[in-house]
Amino acid sequence: MISAQPATGEPTVPALTMTAAFEGIEGSYSHAVLEAYAGRRGVTFVPVGCSSYRAVAHAVLSGRADLGLLPIDNAIAGTIREGYDVLAEYELDLLAEITWRMDHRLLGVPGATLAGLREIDSHPVVLAECGRFLGGLTDVRRVPVPDTGIAARDVAAEGSPARGAIASADAAQRYGLIELANTIADHPDNFTRFILFRAPAALGPASEFEPAEDFGVRKTSLVFAVADTPGALGRCLSVLGAHGLNVSKLDSKTRLGSAGQSSFYVDVDGDVREERFADALRELSEVTVALHVIGTYDASAAPPRTRRAPVVVVDNAPAVTPKPAKNAFPKVTRADEHARARVAIGDIVVGDGHFVVVGGPCSVESREQILATAEAVAAHGAVMLRGGAFKPRTSPYAFQGLGWEGVSLLAEAGRASGLPIVSEVMSVEQVERMAASVDVLQIGARNMQNFDLLKAVGKTERPILLKRGMAASIDELLSAAEYILAEGNPNVILCERGIRTFETATRNTLDLSAIPVLRERTHLPVMVDPSHGVGVRRWIGPLCLAAKAVGAHGLLIEVHPNPSEAKSDADQALTFGDFERVMEALAQVPQLA
Ligand code: PEP
Ligand code: MN
């Protein structure tokens, strides 16, 4: 009985205890419900674990327990018929409905992983509630056991990492299990309705367990059977409706031993002691072949609704044995912090602590133009000469470059100035001859994803200056480099040259943030081309300095004897004087290791 236990010593403080029966053992959901219920009332809970629903009723009726608790309905799995049947079968005084969120966790022994499980134990209703999650696991047996607490206890006792249990977080704690996954029920609104009851004759000092007298929010569970005739059920529901009684649940099953008849389990909002209820029951008895009031009890408040949450597989136990992520860039990835490629062009080294400047016109236009430019840039410290002979131009009517003649002029200027030469190769057919004519093969931004061209230059032994495509991500730039390395040519220099953004104030948006990113991700040297990046002469100087400061291994700068007359990219070419000043300023900028 709910009893006042005399405390030892003085003064005597009565300690209320609540002896309550439930199916299962400690760590089961019923146990947690009762513990919380007792906690809210400030009384001590004495658990009486039982082996079946019937045994719970017997414990209460025999006086072994003051209270009993049985589940009757789950939001996902539906009616728990056995709960209703036991409550209907025995003469019990129903007290209250308790709605409890079933927050299921998949548990295993320490060291277990989700991928390693071969068996999962739980109460059959709980297994049903997690059907979707379990459906996604292959080669895992689902084993129904009487109770979630028992499932957790037995998994812990066996100690096998191949066996898991679905139970509460409380069960995990109690039995020393770890959580392998949570929010695994098919829906987070996974509430189970339990009924708390006592023996009908129970009397005691614990008035807090008395039903509310004012019929606050009450509910009544009925079971009735109707004849196998059209409209029979409808008539029953009409009676309830006519008396203003709301049916909150209706469930049916075949009435055993009465062919063709069905039993209906009905929950109605209201208390049987209300007059309208008494009237309704009288009328109901006239349209049913059997009618039984299971009980009337305090209704629980509607539980809060939640949005569906994804199953969370807990970190310590990945859902599948993690496959090492396949590195999409095995050859260009920087293996360790010391790995830095050196690309040698004659005795010039690009990368690995060296800083180089390549200068020259956008296009080779004439013998005089390229010879003069070569001499000027060499005088001011450039270590290579650039110049386009095959020009990728947006307009087919724009100057297309001098072609092979331009290549020979560039080669002559290179020899005259002692500078190695860099020029763009635009097609696979040009590769062999260009490789024989220039020191560095440039792949232009528009060709960064011309994979045949990448493969062709990858087969040569020439260093490659690979420019970032104007709409290419860093990953795509690295993939393009990977193409070249995959063909056997390790000598690739990456070049950031501005990308297309919404910004129109500059020709492109020079992505200087790509430099530290690339330095981290790849061992390949990274150069910056501020000329095409910003497209405006006066802004090129500051960007050269910034590029060096953030760690570029070199610069590619367009220089022209008379920029206003340049046949391509006139707006961005530096004069020889500009170039000289930039080179002087660059000498003041510290270089990153
Ligand atoms: C160039 O450097 O001459 C050139 C055409 O550059 P991009 O490919 O970056 O446009
Ligand atoms: Mn250009």
Side-chain angles (χ1 to χ4, degrees), residues 545-570:
L545 307 184
K548 186 177 181 190
V550 294
H553 296 101
L555 294 167
L556 185 70
I557 307 174
E558 286 187 347
V559 183
H560 195 282
N562 186 358
S564 60
E565 298 200 345
K567 292 192 172 166
S568 58
D569 290 351

Side-chain angles (χ1 to χ4, degrees), residues 519-536:
R519 285 176 58 105
E520 206 174 283
R521 295 197 44 198
T522 177
H523 54 269
L524 298 175
V526 186
M527 290 182 65
V528 171
D529 168 359
S531 305
H532 293 89
V534 70
V536 177

Side-chain angles (χ1 to χ4, degrees), residues 24-29 122-123 145-155 165-168 171 175:
I25 62 168
E26 297 185 16
S28 68
Y29 283 99
S122 200
H123 190 284
V145 296
D147 156 55
T148 55
I150 290 174
R153 181 196 65 190
D154 292 355
V155 165
I166 299 177
S168 65
Y175 298 109

Side-chain angles (χ1 to χ4, degrees), residues 386 391-392 424 442 444-446 467 497 529 532 558:
R386 63 149 290 150
K391 293 303 300 176
E424 176 165 353
Q442 177 172 323
R446 292 157 193 79
K467 300 192 87 174
R497 48 77 70 201
D529 168 359
H532 293 89
E558 286 187 347

Side-chain angles (χ1 to χ4, degrees), residues 57-69:
H58 288 162
V60 170
L61 291 168
S62 68
R64 261 198 318 127
D66 304 318
L67 299 170
L69 185 81

Side-chain angles (χ1 to χ4, degrees), residues 106-114 116-117 152-165 171-180 314 316-318:
L106 176 63
L107 309 179
V109 295
T113 62
L114 183 49
L117 293 184
R153 181 196 65 190
D154 292 355
V155 165
E158 193 195 22
S160 163
R163 193 167 162 201
Q173 233 185 1
R174 239 170 239 280
Y175 298 109
L177 297 176
I178 60 165
E179 290 184 21
L180 303 179
V314 179
N316 58 17

Side-chain angles (χ1 to χ4, degrees), residues 262-282:
S262 283
S263 289
F264 294 95
Y265 296 75
V266 184
D267 289 348
V268 182
D269 294 344
D271 189 297
V272 271
R273 292 169 295 176
E274 293 174 64
E275 210 177 302
R276 59 181 181 150
F277 221 122
D279 294 343
L281 286 177
R282 212 173 308 110

